[in-house]
Amino acid sequence: MPRIKLKVNGQEYQVEVPADITLLELLREYLSLTGTKEGCGKGECGACTVLMDGQAVNSCLVPAAKAEGSEVLTIEGLASPDGRLHPLQEAFISEGAVQCGFCTPGMIMSAKALLDQNPHPTREEIKVALSGNLCRCTGYAKIITAVEKAAAMIAGEGRG
């Protein structure tokens, strides 16, 4: 079995995995990082979104071997080491953007990628950035408001 070396949430890993697994499977089954969800398994729902080298990717479509040498950030890696939630997590909670919660990790990671690239997005830019993430509960209004609030929080705190 191939050995993959990568950094996940700031921690170095060397993992022996079958050649045909995805990054999603590596995260969930080999590293026990179950915050990243499998929705469709076809890259259409965004539930499995993580950041790989700073870019939002559907981890269900990325062969684990492609993550060799990469830095991956999952929802588990967003909170501070002291447990303080990231402004996106805080805003999703305070704005009621979390309903069943299944899509939330992917939504937050897509929003993180957006805010890292564009700290002051318009509503339209937020909609475009989240267009690859499906939610069947909220209707998106509260999610968009939460991203706007997080952008303001990050700008005010200088945190990201």
Side-chain angles (χ1 to χ4, degrees), residues 34-83:
T34 57
T36 304
K37 306 299 183 206
E38 181 171 8
C40 67
K42 297 176 183 177
E44 295 176 4
C45 74
C48 67
T49 303
V50 299
L51 301 188
M52 188 166 100
D53 297 325
Q55 300 297 312
V57 298
N58 291 321
S59 61
C60 72
L61 296 180
V62 177
K66 287 270 190 184
E68 172 68 36
S70 293
E71 289 194 33
V72 176
L73 181 66
T74 71
I75 191 72
E76 290 92 344
L78 274 188
S80 302
D82 66 2

Side-chain angles (χ1 to χ4, degrees), residues 78-87 89-90 157 159:
L78 274 188
S80 302
D82 66 2
R84 191 172 123 206
L85 295 179
H86 186 278
Q89 293 167 310
E90 290 177 8
E157 294 179 10
R159 181 174 170 207

Side-chain angles (χ1 to χ4, degrees), residues 13-25:
Y13 290 94
Q14 286 191 25
V15 188
E16 218 172 87
V17 296
D20 62 344
I21 72 162
T22 64
L23 176 57
L24 174 63
E25 292 169 301

Side-chain angles (χ1 to χ4, degrees), residues 20-140:
D20 62 344
I21 72 162
T22 64
L23 176 57
L24 174 63
E25 292 169 301
L26 186 152
L27 294 170
R28 290 183 59 83
E29 297 172 23
Y30 290 82
L31 302 183
S32 298
L33 296 170
T34 57
T36 304
K37 306 299 183 206
E38 181 171 8
C40 67
K42 297 176 183 177
E44 295 176 4
C45 74
C48 67
T49 303
V50 299
L51 301 188
M52 188 166 100
D53 297 325
Q55 300 297 312
V57 298
N58 291 321
S59 61
C60 72
L61 296 180
V62 177
K66 287 270 190 184
E68 172 68 36
S70 293
E71 289 194 33
V72 176
L73 181 66
T74 71
I75 191 72
E76 290 92 344
L78 274 188
S80 302
D82 66 2
R84 191 172 123 206
L85 295 179
H86 186 278
L88 277 163
Q89 293 167 310
E90 290 177 8
F92 266 65
I93 293 167
S94 69
E95 293 302 314
V98 177
Q99 298 255 328
C100 81
F102 193 82
C103 72
T104 304
M107 287 280 186
I108 289 175
M109 298 312 292
S110 290
K112 169 92 167 94
L114 168 66
L115 296 180
D116 286 350
Q117 303 269 327
N118 178 1
H120 306 288
T122 64
R123 275 183 90 74
E124 191 57 36
E125 289 169 328
I126 293 168
K127 289 177 185 179
V128 169
L130 298 179
S131 65
N133 297 79
L134 301 179
C135 176
R136 300 208 184 269
C137 300
T138 66
Y140 301 96

